[in-house]
Amino acid sequence: MPHIGLFTLVVRDYDDAIAFYTGKVGFELVEDTDLGDGKRWVIVAPNGATETRVLLAKAKGERQTCIIGDQTGGRVGFFLNTDDFARDHARMTEAGVRFLEAPRHEPYGTVAVFEDLYGNKWDLLELKAMPPKNLVSH
């Protein structure tokens, strides 16, 4: 089945972005390849992730620089799922990640919005276990 392999976050500086995502969010650096002319192929991902990863792309030019930190128009645009919200929220808070709200319990799970180093909004989210769609109750 097809899946999303990478999505791009436009960043101001490769090393600052790597430091934030690996040191504060807890991602691992998957690849950092020099492409010449100041360009790098930088991929980070949650530890153990096997599918979707994040390509950190340094802004080039005014148009790209203008969208740093506002890549989704101020909306939450990225969703980091966890199997232990309390553990990851505490670890990220202690590491200096800025949460914009207290954790809240929603019908779908526990969630809190945080900002990356540029202001992009992410949900830290522990989904509730849902019954299989084909389960029919009588």
Side-chain angles (χ1 to χ4, degrees), residues 13 17 35 44 54 64 66 81 84 86 88 100 102 105 112 114 119 134:
D13 178 84
L35 301 176
V44 296
V54 182
Q64 291 179 15
C66 286
N81 289 9
D84 188 335
D88 291 334
L100 302 179
H105 302 285
F114 70 92
N134 62 356

Side-chain angles (χ1 to χ4, degrees), residues 17-86:
I18 291 168
F20 177 82
Y21 283 104
T22 61
K24 293 188 178 191
V25 178
F27 286 8
E28 63 184 331
L29 179 62
V30 175
E31 184 175 352
D32 185 354
T33 302
D34 188 340
L35 301 176
D37 278 341
K39 288 181 71 174
R40 291 157 57 183
W41 184 257
V42 177
I43 299 172
V44 296
N47 289 328
T50 59
E51 291 189 353
T52 306
R53 295 174 174 182
V54 182
L55 175 67
L56 302 175
K58 186 175 179 181
K60 182 177 179 182
E62 185 179 337
R63 183 172 180 211
Q64 291 179 15
T65 300
C66 286
I67 60 108
I68 294 171
D70 193 25
Q71 293 178 63
T72 58
R75 295 183 59 102
V76 171
F78 311 102
F79 301 82
L80 180 58
N81 289 9
T82 178
D83 60 356
D84 188 335
F85 181 91

Side-chain angles (χ1 to χ4, degrees), residues 93-134:
T93 299
E94 187 170 312
V97 172
R98 182 172 176 251
F99 280 86
L100 302 179
E101 62 183 7
R104 64 183 197 280
H105 302 285
E106 299 290 348
Y108 54 83
T110 304
V111 63
V113 177
F114 70 92
E115 286 185 330
D116 71 10
L117 73 164
Y118 299 114
N120 293 302
K121 292 179 183 171
W122 289 70
D123 269 359
L124 177 63
L125 175 62
E126 182 178 353
L127 294 170
K128 286 184 179 176
M130 301 298 285
K133 289 183 179 183
N134 62 356

